[in-house]
Amino acid sequence: MTDDHITETTNRVMTQWNNDQSNLLQMLIDLQQALNGIPESAINQISAGTRRSPADIESVIGFYSFLHHDTHNPYRVLFSDNITDRMLGSRALAEHLNSRLQDIDTATVDYTSCTGMGDQGPAALVNGHTLTRLDKERIDQMAALMETNTPLSDWPAEWFRVDENIRRRDLLLETDFEKGSAIKCALESGAEKILEELDASGLRGRGGAGFKTAMKWRFCREATGDNRVVVCNADEGEPGTFKDRLLLQSFAERLIEGMTVCAKVIGATTGFIYLRGEYLYLRDELESKLQRYRDAGLLSKDIHGEAGFDFDIKIHLGAGAYICGEESALIESLEGKRGIPRIRPPFPVTSGYLNRPTVVNNVETLVAAAMIAVHGAAWFRTKGTEQSPGTKLLSISGNCLKPGIYEYPFGTSLEVILKDCEATHVQAVQIAGAAGSCIPPSEFSRSIAFEDLATGGSFMIFDRERNLLEMVQNFTDFFVHESCGFCTPCRVGTSLLKKRLAKVASGRATGVDLEKMRIIGSLTRQTSHCGLGMTAANPILETLDKFPHIYEPHLLSTTFEPAFNLDASLEEARQITGRDDPDAHLQGGGV
Amino acid sequence: MIRHFTIDGIKVPFQERQTIMDAAMAAGIYIPHLCHNPEFRPQGSCRLCTVKVDGRNLAACTTPATDHAEVKSNTKKLMAMRRTLLQLLFVEGNHVCPACEKSGACQLQAVAYYCGMLAPEFTHFYPQREVDASHPEFAIDFNRCILCELCVRASRDADQKSVFAISGRGIHVHLTVNSPSGKLGDSDFDKHDRAAHVCPVGAILPKHTGYDVPIGKRLYDRKPVSMVGDVSDHEED
Amino acid sequence: MADKVKVATASLAGCFGCHMSLLDIDERIIDLVELVEFDRTPLTDIKEIGDCDVGIIEGGVCNAENVEVLREFRRHCKILVSMGACSINGGIPAMRNQYQLKECLEESYLHGMGVEDAQIPNDPEVPLLLNKVHPIHEVVKVDYFLPGCPPPADTIWTFLEELLSGEPIEFAYRQIHYD
């Protein structure tokens, strides 16, 4: 790569993003796509163009796990490392690929957090593009293509196929939708009427927290400030969730219209879809759908013929940071910064993107809002419970015969769901992702609802053959990887938990270690800056209470065990001195 | 009419836009803190000022004071949590107090003394970190950095220089210097910068003045931080 | 005699400074011997530890022998006290944790200034080094911590007085420091 080529490409990318410093992250992502990495020599150029210091730019690169400087590897394979991928054999496949590629230095193999393909894994990303249904044969074929330097465009399209996998349709998915209908209804009824209808529908945020959508929109509508913003949170990062993938892939019209309806209500001119980097494969199709809306007069200027109703939607990509699913971190990321959750108040509805009043909603919430705009509150309330009206999309994966996407009315019990997806001998269901709850069979009569088991949609099943401790470790490792590092309890606490848990799993722990985990877990839960930290210890705290038997067999009967393996810590000295006499070893561990 | 809330039962007046920390400081009530300095925008990252506000744990430095709120700070539970937070900071870095020039005037130590921390107790990370002695007047010992970002804020907001930044993520978060080599000596940093005088620990230290004040006669050797306040209030430019 | 509390002490990877500080309680040592009987300690030169009420450890854990001594103390002492900065967080000896063990040994025995007959000791009599220096609480359960480099004699005295009289352990502000 010549210096001229780097300079030219950097210039092109920066121009594309208007040299606007709030688009820094997007520039870096595009530059990496174009050059296989972000050349260090481009940093000063970006700094001059965006008026952000080189250290500041480096700090953004350093935050997002997909961004890197190295431009020498034409292939970068990241295996999805969620527990469900692991249960499908992803680790062995990654190791196999690694051994196949030992002799070539044009590829790297590593792991990444859940890529949202739990129903069609094991999955991976190659240069950011999704690969599904990996097996040994395909890995061998991939290795062969990499050895011959075959460009990705010449790889079989089948490898990149992402299925819809709809297993059960209900209110949202089985009702037809006519393009433009939600926008038309919203314009006919007017903002106030739409808000009333939304309020009457009782729609609550589908990301998991369940804040009333009408209330959020009203707060924003009534906030002071110009240039309001609608943001679609498509950073579907909760391990085991993939239902937004379906909505973005096959129901994007409803999403676009949901955002436009929101824009009408709050008076927004700008919209963003914050699309997680793992869903890069959806970007082009979404862009062309947005363009078709513009061409049809349903987006951009004078929407649906209403003079002065101007609203457009841009797509911003994420780059491998789960924390950006938190709405204020997402806004920071939209502004091209590190995704550190903001101090609240102020809340985004009064001071969000570039301090403008901003609504951030989940994909599914906006889709539901579009449908409510067309069909009304009464229609929506035909399903669900009093406190949780409507339906919920679930992403079901793990030990069942029919993984995929299921739409259920709120209030449906786990029993019913497990029967439908043909799961047997179930040991536990992890609801709402890594931060959620681990439910034992004795509680399978409980149901999906805000008043019982609230969930963003992740539903991972573990049968009796599974070692649940591996699940706990997987989720704890996930939080270590995804902690933004801003606050003390989450930054340090998650790492300490990971170490203690590894100690337990390796059979070198006692009850003291469980007690220490409770202390650290309770601290992160009670003192962290944001929801990630507050829930990062959930996998441990939940299972310590509900599944104590997964810990007990690993514990030693001593009262205390050392933090490290005593004999192993002499190995280096044995190597250096060549000693192997009895005194060069330490027998046993704790006292 | 002046509005009030209470901290551990003591009535504290406050004005519009004041945080719990602002009002507490104005009233002379000490709430332990490390990343807070009233000169700069609060950020709430060290979490030591966590207080219970009407039953919820919140950082005093970022939470607006509200009328009639009942704030608990000096409770056994909160002090225990603060000790644990301090222990986390101690095991995360390499804090060798006997070999540190800041010892005795170090706010991390002082807050730990105040909270009754006797030992870090958790497993030490012993991270590999550098010392940057490239600047003629100042040195940075990254072993001691607690990521309070006070130097970042001071350099950006008071000095208008942005010499410092935070990079990495999670446990790999670290302080960086904005210069071509990444070294302080190569940056715009100056000994008169505000950023040179806000470090609560021994991470950013002046050269040539080592042990001018002997150990045992330093700021926190005789009186606790709750009485003498932040170390940056006692630093001379 | 039978009612006296049995106390043992040891210095692991430390400098004996904490033991010196213990002796700095001056004439109070007369009061102390009224109350306690010393078992294994550098002060008595007893080499084997018997069953004790209190064990006091100075210094961190840097080699195999430290581990063995520490475990012996834990087995024989009802109460184990971690005394001083090294014992509590590794202290100065733990500054070698910034380097690989190999680098440390090579610098000391092969490439350092004034080294003659350069070789890394491998005599079985010499305790083998751990790859890192650790505080003692990472190896055994510790009941009490006495910070300081060294802890002041006054702090040690207060601690022993309170411990022996069964009172809660409390220190005045100036009795606690880490340096």
Side-chain angles (χ1 to χ4, degrees):
Chain A
M1 201 180 329
T2 63
D3 287 350
D4 283 352
H5 180 58
I6 293 173
T7 310
E8 264 169 49
T9 312
T10 309
N11 248 331
R12 175 175 59 74
V13 167
M14 288 177 58
T15 311
Q16 227 163 26
W17 290 102
N18 303 324
N19 283 305
D20 182 348
Q21 57 169 264
S22 66
N23 291 330
L24 173 65
L25 176 60
Q26 303 310 307
M27 294 174 195
L28 294 171
I29 291 169
D30 283 358
L31 193 60
Q32 175 162 307
Q33 280 293 321
L35 300 176
N36 244 327
I38 302 158
E40 287 181 36
S41 61
I43 301 298
N44 281 335
Q45 197 183 337
I46 300 171
S47 171
T50 56
R51 293 182 311 282
R52 287 177 66 164
S53 77
D56 192 16
I57 294 166
E58 291 290 359
S59 78
V60 172
I61 296 171
F63 185 82
Y64 294 94
S65 68
F66 288 173
L67 299 182
H68 54 82
H69 283 305
D70 178 26
T71 54
H72 300 296
N73 284 314
Y75 304 105
R76 191 168 294 262
V77 185
L78 294 173
F79 280 81
S80 178
D81 202 29
N82 189 31
I83 185 69
T84 51
D85 292 279
R86 284 198 191 186
M87 283 156 62
L88 294 166
S90 63
R91 284 247 151 188
L93 293 176
E95 278 158 29
H96 180 60
L97 181 62
N98 227 346
S99 67
R100 278 290 315 257
L101 298 175
Q102 246 169 17
D103 299 332
I104 62 166
D105 56 359
T106 54
T108 60
V109 179
D110 209 336
Y111 296 98
T112 188
S113 300
C114 182
T115 60
M117 298 291 151
D119 56 337
Q120 41 202 307
L125 300 169
V126 55
N127 297 354
H129 298 276
T130 297
L131 293 164
T132 55
R133 287 173 295 269
L134 293 168
D135 57 25
K136 191 156 173 289
E137 193 190 341
R138 196 166 284 182
I139 295 288
D140 284 328
Q141 292 167 336
M142 274 169 60
L145 291 179
M146 288 192 242
E147 277 159 5
T148 53
N149 253 316
T150 311
L152 286 189
S153 49
D154 294 341
W155 288 25
E158 164 64 17
W159 295 2
F160 301 95
R161 198 188 84 216
V162 177
D163 289 338
E164 284 191 336
N165 247 338
I166 303 174
R167 301 278 190 175
R168 187 181 192 280
R169 291 171 192 266
D170 210 300
L171 214 52
L172 291 186
L173 301 184
E174 77 183 0
T175 309
D176 288 339
F177 182 81
E178 193 189 326
K179 184 173 173 178
S181 59
I183 295 174
K184 182 164 167 269
C185 289
L187 290 178
E188 281 169 7
S189 353
E192 203 45 53
K193 182 84 202 353
I194 283 285
L195 255 186
E196 281 167 24
E197 203 61 25
L198 202 62
D199 195 22
S201 77
L203 176 64
R204 298 169 69 172
R206 269 27 181 171
F211 194 79
K212 283 195 83 174
T213 307
M215 201 185 287
K216 191 183 262 189
W217 290 17
R218 187 173 293 284
F219 283 153
C220 190
R221 178 175 161 82
E222 289 167 1
T224 50
D226 298 324
N227 300 315
R228 284 137 204 277
V229 184
V230 181
V231 178
C232 166
N233 183 347
D235 193 48
E236 182 171 47
E238 195 59 74
T241 321
F242 42 83
K243 49 97 189 167
D244 290 342
R245 178 196 82 204
L246 167 77
L247 296 176
L248 293 158
Q249 188 169 320
S250 309
F251 297 83
E253 290 79 10
R254 302 173 194 210
L255 169 64
I256 295 168
E257 295 197 28
M259 292 178 73
T260 311
V261 170
C262 178
K264 179 67 199 166
V265 169
I266 67 169
T269 50
T270 308
F272 289 102
I273 296 174
Y274 185 87
L275 184 67
R276 71 186 304 224
E278 290 82 348
Y279 290 170
L280 172 69
Y281 78 100
L282 290 168
R283 177 166 69 170
D284 289 350
E285 184 53 32
L286 278 171
E287 287 286 13
S288 58
K289 277 179 185 150
L290 288 169
Q291 192 51 48
R292 288 203 284 278
Y293 262 73
R294 288 185 200 106
D295 295 344
L298 294 170
L299 201 60
S300 186
K301 290 264 169 215
D302 302 330
I303 293 172
H304 207 278
E306 181 164 307
F309 181 25
D310 300 342
F311 174 68
D312 211 333
I313 298 171
K314 284 180 244 177
I315 297 173
H316 269 214
L317 279 173
Y322 164 73
I323 187 60
C324 292
E326 195 278 343
E327 63 176 4
S328 67
L330 186 153
I331 290 169
E332 288 284 298
S333 185
L334 273 179
E335 293 181 5
K337 301 177 189 159
R338 295 159 59 79
I340 310 291
R342 290 180 177 177
I343 294 162
R344 300 185 302 178
F347 290 91
V349 283
T350 57
S351 179
Y353 179 72
L354 301 178
N355 300 322
R356 306 178 197 163
T358 303
V359 160
V360 183
N361 276 146
N362 177 263
V363 178
E364 190 181 345
T365 313
L366 290 161
V367 167
M371 298 297 278
I372 291 165
V374 177
H375 300 284
W379 167 83
F380 192 68
R381 280 196 176 270
T382 56
K383 294 291 169 84
T385 69
E386 182 55 33
Q387 290 174 62
S388 311
T391 59
K392 184 76 197 83
L393 297 189
L394 297 181
S395 319
I396 297 185
S397 64
N399 294 126
C400 66
L401 293 178
K402 292 183 171 169
I405 290 156
Y406 292 70
E407 185 186 6
Y408 281 108
F410 273 114
T412 306
S413 74
L414 300 199
E415 271 157 357
V416 170
I417 297 166
L418 290 169
K419 189 158 171 283
D420 288 353
C421 69
E422 297 182 21
T424 50
H425 308 291
V426 179
Q427 178 181 192
V429 177
Q430 179 74 15
I431 304 263
S437 319
C438 193
I439 309 294
S442 58
E443 297 179 27
F444 284 174
S445 57
R446 294 178 68 182
S447 52
I448 301 295
F450 291 108
E451 62 272 26
D452 191 355
L453 292 169
T455 172
S458 173
F459 194 104
M460 290 180 271
I461 304 165
F462 299 87
D463 70 20
R464 286 182 217 141
E465 301 295 306
R466 295 293 159 190
N467 179 357
L468 273 192
L469 202 57
E470 284 174 14
M471 175 202 80
V472 180
Q473 275 191 287
N474 181 256
F475 293 160
T476 304
D477 291 357
F478 167 79
F479 285 117
V480 171
H481 187 251
E482 299 298 344
S483 166
C484 78
F486 173 76
C487 74
T488 311
C490 178
R491 181 181 72 243
V492 188
T494 51
S495 278
L496 285 175
L497 287 172
K498 177 185 164 126
K499 285 184 195 171
R500 287 279 167 174
L501 204 53
K503 190 180 171 190
V504 174
S506 68
R508 293 187 294 104
T510 68
V512 172
D513 295 287
L514 301 193
E515 208 32 60
K516 289 278 184 192
M517 289 203 294
R518 280 188 194 274
I519 292 171
I520 302 163
S522 148
L523 181 81
T524 56
R525 182 178 270 181
Q526 295 185 73
T527 63
S528 289
H529 171 60
C530 80
L532 188 152
M534 288 176 200
T535 56
N538 281 3
I540 291 172
L541 297 177
E542 283 262 321
T543 50
L544 274 175
D545 285 341
K546 291 187 188 171
F547 297 85
H549 60 271
I550 68 172
Y551 294 93
E552 280 148 13
H554 295 277
L555 301 183
L556 295 172
S557 58
T558 42
T559 49
F560 187 95
E561 281 298 314
F564 58 99
N565 184 322
L566 297 174
D567 190 53
S569 76
L570 288 172
E571 183 54 31
E572 218 175 317
R574 281 194 292 263
Q575 296 274 339
I576 297 166
T577 58
R579 280 178 56 184
D580 199 25
D581 54 279
D583 287 340
H585 288 273
L586 280 165
Q587 307 295 329
V591 179
Chain B
M1 202 184 105
I2 297 167
R3 296 188 290 168
H4 292 86
F5 65 99
T6 60
I7 299 179
D8 297 328
I10 300 166
K11 213 166 161 188
V12 179
F14 72 97
Q15 288 158 2
E16 191 65 33
R17 304 181 75 86
Q18 272 191 324
T19 60
I20 292 171
M21 180 69 85
D22 294 334
M25 279 182 154
I29 296 173
Y30 176 71
I31 300 174
H33 57 270
L34 285 169
C35 71
H36 187 67
N37 178 328
E39 271 181 68
F40 308 106
R41 223 184 78 177
Q43 70 162 14
S45 63
C46 77
R47 311 310 285 175
L48 277 165
C49 70
T50 299
V51 290
K52 220 169 189 83
V53 186
D54 296 331
R56 287 178 66 202
N57 288 322
L58 295 165
C61 71
T62 59
T63 305
T66 47
D67 213 6
H68 304 303
E70 195 182 311
V71 178
K72 299 252 182 265
S73 173
N74 202 359
T75 68
K76 264 191 175 167
K77 247 188 177 163
L78 284 167
M79 288 305 269
M81 286 205 291
R82 288 177 187 141
R83 275 196 296 277
T84 313
L85 282 169
L86 288 157
Q87 289 172 325
L88 263 49
L89 286 171
F90 270 95
V91 299
E92 182 191 22
N94 296 307
H95 298 280
V96 191
C97 299
C100 179
E101 209 285 322
K102 190 84 164 192
S103 196
C106 164
Q107 211 170 316
L108 175 64
Q109 265 184 351
V111 176
Y113 295 163
Y114 174 83
C115 293
M117 188 197 97
L118 294 178
E121 294 191 51
F122 292 104
T123 309
H124 285 68
F125 288 65
Y126 294 124
Q128 305 267 315
R129 296 196 191 158
E130 302 285 318
V131 174
D132 175 355
S134 59
H135 193 277
E137 307 283 353
F138 270 79
I140 306 182
D141 188 337
F142 292 98
N143 289 289
R144 304 166 185 163
C145 176
I146 55 167
L147 301 164
C148 68
E149 297 189 35
L150 276 167
C151 58
V152 177
R153 286 176 277 167
S155 185
R156 183 190 61 211
D157 303 337
D159 306 328
Q160 313 285 325
K161 286 184 178 180
S162 291
V163 168
F164 299 102
I166 295 288
S167 191
R169 188 170 90 187
I171 195 67
H172 306 295
V173 158
H174 58 280
L175 183 67
T176 61
V177 174
N178 185 42
S179 74
S181 62
K183 296 281 184 202
L184 192 65
D186 217 5
S187 73
D188 298 339
F189 183 82
D190 183 90
K191 65 175 175 179
H192 300 298
D193 285 355
R194 192 64 196 119
H197 306 280
V198 293
C199 182
V201 294
I204 300 179
L205 275 182
K207 291 182 174 176
H208 319 302
T209 59
Y211 299 97
D212 275 2
V213 181
I215 297 279
K217 296 205 182 308
R218 297 181 167 199
L219 182 63
Y220 301 120
D221 280 336
R222 287 159 190 284
K223 286 183 179 167
V225 64
S226 55
M227 290 172 73
V228 297
D230 298 352
V231 63
S232 60
D233 294 344
H234 299 263
E235 288 231 358
E236 279 165 37
D237 188 343
Chain C
M1 228 13 217
D3 292 323
K4 280 193 177 180
V5 172
K6 274 185 113 175
V7 176
T9 73
S11 180
L12 308 180
C15 69
F16 272 93
C18 297
H19 276 80
M20 294 298 118
S21 194
L22 172 63
L23 295 179
D24 265 353
I25 59 176
D26 299 331
E27 72 281 1
R28 286 172 292 191
I29 203 153
I30 297 164
D31 300 335
L32 188 62
V33 291
E34 289 297 314
L35 298 167
V36 309
E37 178 192 344
F38 282 104
D39 192 83
R40 174 184 164 156
T41 148
L43 311 175
T44 60
D45 220 20
I46 298 171
K47 306 286 189 211
E48 295 287 323
I49 185 170
D51 285 341
C52 288
D53 297 292
V54 182
I56 302 176
I57 303 285
E58 166 191 345
V61 182
C62 80
N63 63 31
E65 187 198 28
N66 293 160
V67 172
E68 295 293 15
V69 171
L70 182 58
R71 291 197 296 196
E72 275 302 290
F73 265 67
R74 183 67 274 186
R75 282 188 197 106
H76 286 92
C77 301
K78 288 182 195 150
I79 289 168
L80 196 68
V81 183
S82 178
M83 173 171 68
C86 302
S87 174
I88 279 174
N89 75 352
I92 305 290
M95 290 176 85
R96 83 149 153 98
N97 291 351
Q98 289 292 301
Y99 307 91
Q100 294 297 312
L101 179 59
K102 195 154 186 274
E103 289 174 81
C104 297
L105 288 170
E106 286 178 350
E107 180 63 24
S108 306
Y109 295 106
L110 301 183
H111 314 308
M113 267 197 299
V115 171
E116 285 176 35
D117 188 18
Q119 62 164 11
I120 292 171
N122 60 359
D123 191 307
E125 290 286 307
V126 180
L128 216 49
L129 294 174
L130 304 182
N131 58 353
K132 292 256 189 287
V133 179
H134 296 266
I136 69 163
H137 71 259
E138 292 183 10
V139 178
V140 295
K141 179 176 179 287
V142 170
D143 301 296
Y144 293 99
F145 295 93
L146 276 182
C149 185
D154 234 25
T155 307
I156 300 174
W157 176 247
T158 302
F159 171 76
L160 289 172
E161 246 193 336
E162 289 173 342
L163 183 75
L164 298 178
S165 62
E167 284 170 38
I169 311 291
E170 279 167 5
F171 298 103
Y173 177 76
R174 290 177 62 183
Q175 286 184 317
I176 294 299
H177 59 73
Y178 306 150
D179 55 15

